[in-house]
Amino acid sequence: MASTPSSPILLYSPRVTIIGAGKVGSTLAQRIAEKNLADVVLLDVVEGIPQGLALDLMEARGIALHDRKIIGTTDYTDTAGSNVVVITAGLPRKPGMSRNDLLKTNGKIVVEVAQRAIAHSPDALLIVVTNPLDVMTYLAWQATQMPHDISGGQCLRHRVMGMAGILDSARFQTFIAMELGVSTSDVNAMVLGSHGDLMVPLPRYSTVSGIPITELIDAATIERLVQRTRHGGAEIVELMQKGSAYFAPASSICLMVEAILLNQSRLLPVAAYLQGEYGLQDIFIGVPCRLGCHGIESVLELSLTDAELAALHSSAQAVRKNIDRAMEML
Ligand code: TXD
């Protein structure tokens, strides 16, 4: 009996669009395809770059053993029907720059690309990555006018979210593991707040195989690890001199994409729209969220000490100031 050529049958082909085919975007495209999570559309404003990168990634498929399609384009019509849109378009920091120095330039880019992408994929979930992260997530949400509570009632389902907390927590996790000489996979770290110098690492909620690090490391050393986490991005910018971190950021975004596409209900720190949680209103900031196929399905309110809550509020104040500045400039 003649056999039909055997090619993998993909029963489920979600589509992820990545806007910005730079360092973070292209690394993310590789991660998503090689994890066999979705087909990928890589879009950039520079003609040729996304097409070249997509072809390069397609040519790796036989070796990486997957059959995901990767399309490179400058045309938004190619992004239509995406399940998830990730925005990495914009400029990265240069040495000596703060994330907030990118406010105006990146604000304009994020507003434009978010509107254009959502016009072609009105049901997509939107993950913002561009810096300054919390402000850009707010602008993307404003610009797309996406309903942030689809279901109403008790189960809040936020469709717009920002990636930073997973990366900041991964950095803290790494430094804890290095300090104690234990496997990184035994360490769980939690960092809340804005993606910047005022982020709020939470040692009380960071553990090694369930043991809080406050039981294992002295206070001065924890403070040193906290400071290194706060400056984790800047440390890499200083070393590289050109561009900023992209391997750990891409892995962090991929974790969110995976949680969404596989409906994993992961509990992860994500920049989410708050409506009274932690005493904060009308702001995007990093908090622990349950992430599944509907996006942010709930926000977990941890009990915080007065000092931790004060730190979260001053982090939020800085974000609020920059949201106001950005809204004035744009
Ligand atoms: O934790 C986090 N959220 C972050 C954020 C971690 C790492 C990087 N972070 C920020 O992501 C960084 O500060 C930047 O704002 C973005 C992207 O960083 P990346 O390192 O990927 O920057 P690149 O390599 O310069 O890539 C940016 C790409 C580049 O190819 C531009 O041509 C493109 O964005 N770009 C655009 N694409 C589409 N449309 C428009 N308008 C556009 N403008 C620029």
Side-chain angles (χ1 to χ4, degrees):
M1 211 167 79
S3 64
T4 47
S6 65
S7 66
I9 300 167
L10 300 176
L11 294 175
Y12 178 50
S13 283
R15 168 176 271 223
V16 175
T17 282
I18 303 168
I19 318 271
K23 290 284 181 26
V24 176
S26 55
T27 310
L28 175 64
Q30 182 187 19
R31 291 255 196 280
I32 291 173
E34 292 187 355
K35 283 195 117 192
N36 207 3
L37 288 173
D39 293 341
V40 178
V41 181
L42 197 51
L43 183 145
D44 203 279
V45 74
V46 182
E47 189 67 44
I49 295 285
Q51 291 90 342
L53 288 168
L55 184 58
D56 193 13
L57 284 167
M58 288 286 279
E59 288 166 0
R61 295 192 308 172
I63 306 158
L65 299 179
H66 68 88
D67 274 284
R68 292 298 178 182
K69 256 189 247 135
I70 302 115
I71 297 168
T73 186
T74 52
D75 180 352
Y76 280 83
T77 56
D78 291 327
T79 70
S82 297
N83 303 83
V84 179
V85 171
V86 182
I87 298 182
T88 72
L91 305 185
R93 281 194 284 172
K94 296 198 177 79
M97 267 177 119
S98 97
R99 292 177 177 94
N100 290 326
D101 293 332
L102 301 168
L103 204 58
K104 192 171 178 187
T105 325
N106 284 356
K108 278 191 184 150
I109 294 172
V110 166
V111 165
E112 187 210 321
V113 305
Q115 282 172 338
R116 296 182 72 183
I118 291 304
H120 289 87
S121 301
D123 299 325
L125 298 180
L126 189 57
I127 302 176
V128 180
V129 178
T130 306
N131 272 323
L133 187 273
D134 310 85
V135 185
M136 293 303 121
T137 312
Y138 188 93
L139 293 183
W141 169 69
Q142 280 264 324
T144 50
Q145 302 284 315
M146 285 172 102
H148 50 271
D149 181 357
I150 299 167
S151 64
Q154 291 182 335
C155 181
L156 297 176
R157 294 175 179 177
H158 303 270
R159 293 171 60 196
V160 182
M161 64 203 89
M163 189 296 289
I166 298 172
L167 173 65
D168 296 331
S169 302
R171 286 179 173 151
F172 196 25
Q173 177 193 38
T174 304
F175 301 144
I176 293 166
M178 282 160 53
E179 183 64 34
L180 289 173
V182 298
S183 163
T184 319
S185 32
D186 286 337
V187 180
N188 253 301
M190 179 63 80
V191 179
L192 306 186
S194 63
H195 184 50
D197 298 344
L198 294 177
M199 70 178 72
V200 187
L202 291 179
R204 278 190 326 123
Y205 285 112
S206 299
T207 61
V208 181
S209 294
I211 307 158
I213 61 162
T214 45
E215 301 285 317
L216 301 170
I217 311 177
D218 65 77
T221 307
I222 291 179
E223 186 49 31
R224 179 166 53 76
L225 304 184
V226 161
Q227 288 308 334
R228 189 168 181 196
T229 302
R230 288 207 175 104
H231 299 120
E235 186 179 356
I236 291 174
V237 170
E238 287 301 328
L239 285 167
M240 288 169 59
Q241 290 292 306
K242 240 177 152 195
S244 56
Y246 57 96
F247 290 124
S251 295
S252 306
I253 309 161
C254 192
L255 195 75
M256 290 176 73
V257 170
E258 187 174 28
I260 290 167
L261 295 179
L262 304 184
N263 194 21
Q264 289 174 324
S265 288
R266 296 283 314 260
L267 191 70
L268 300 166
V270 173
Y273 187 76
L274 298 188
Q275 296 169 295
E277 297 91 342
Y278 295 95
L280 297 169
Q281 286 279 0
D282 190 34
I283 195 164
F284 277 86
I285 200 159
V287 287
C289 296
R290 193 157 59 92
L291 197 59
C293 67
H294 298 293
I296 296 178
E297 295 173 344
S298 61
V299 170
L300 179 76
E301 275 198 82
L302 292 171
S303 96
L304 298 181
T305 63
D306 289 348
E308 288 162 349
L309 193 62
L312 184 61
H313 278 227
S314 52
S315 189
Q317 258 167 27
V319 174
R320 163 63 47 204
K321 216 169 97 194
N322 282 317
I323 288 175
D324 294 343
R325 273 181 63 206
M327 300 290 267
E328 252 169 50
M329 285 191 292
L330 296 171

